[in-house]
Amino acid sequence: MNIDRTIKVVEETFNLNPDPKRPDCELVKLLKLIMKNNDFTFNNNVFLQIWGMAMGKSFVPNLANLYLIEFDDKAMNGYPMKPLNLFFRFLDDVFFIWPGSVEELKAFETYLNGLIPDIN
């Protein structure tokens, strides 16, 4: 997940779903702090993850869902041929039934890979 895009998506989600009791500004500041200081240990070495988030953090699956809302909408509504009414996404995995040919499926894959430049 692109850090700047992720923060923008969260801010947009807050704006679309206002809650006067929710401390939006503080939550965004905390999110920036967490995402820009996302360290982890591997083989007794500490690393700073500069792209994406570790899925082990409890809030990251929800963040990934927010990040991909636009993807889901465009995948189902933005292409001339659509998957059958069976399209599921779990985090970054997609399952659907394709009614067209292999060539049309490859064209759809190219379309999907271009929706959010940071993922494919």
Side-chain angles (χ1 to χ4, degrees):
M1 292 186 300
N2 175 298
I3 292 172
D4 293 330
R5 184 177 186 282
T6 301
I7 292 166
K8 180 181 171 228
V9 166
V10 170
E11 290 172 331
E12 289 172 355
T13 302
F14 284 169
N15 289 334
L16 290 171
N17 302 284
D19 182 348
K21 295 179 181 177
R22 184 181 57 221
D24 294 356
C25 211
E26 289 79 7
L27 290 171
V28 170
K29 285 180 185 177
L30 286 171
L31 180 61
K32 287 179 184 177
L33 178 69
I34 292 168
M35 291 192 78
K36 294 183 179 194
N37 297 286
N38 186 24
D39 62 328
F40 64 95
T41 303
F42 176 74
N43 203 19
N44 293 324
N45 293 307
V46 178
F47 297 90
L48 178 64
Q49 185 168 341
I50 58 173
W51 192 260
M53 292 293 295
M55 292 309 284
K57 295 187 186 282
S58 61
F59 66 92
V60 172
N62 293 321
L63 200 57
N65 283 329
L66 288 176
Y67 192 84
L68 293 172
I69 286 174
E70 178 184 359
F71 175 89
D72 292 343
D73 180 57
K74 288 182 178 178
M76 287 303 298
N77 301 308
Y79 195 74
M81 179 179 270
K82 298 178 183 183
L84 297 178
N85 287 332
L86 182 65
F87 180 92
F88 298 103
R89 182 185 52 76
F90 179 74
L91 301 176
D92 61 350
D93 296 321
V94 177
F95 175 82
F96 59 88
I97 296 177
W98 186 252
S101 68
V102 172
E103 292 78 21
E104 291 167 323
L105 177 60
K106 288 179 181 181
F108 184 62
E109 177 186 26
T110 300
Y111 168 76
L112 293 178
N113 284 337
L115 292 177
I116 300 175
D118 304 323
I119 62 169
N120 62 24

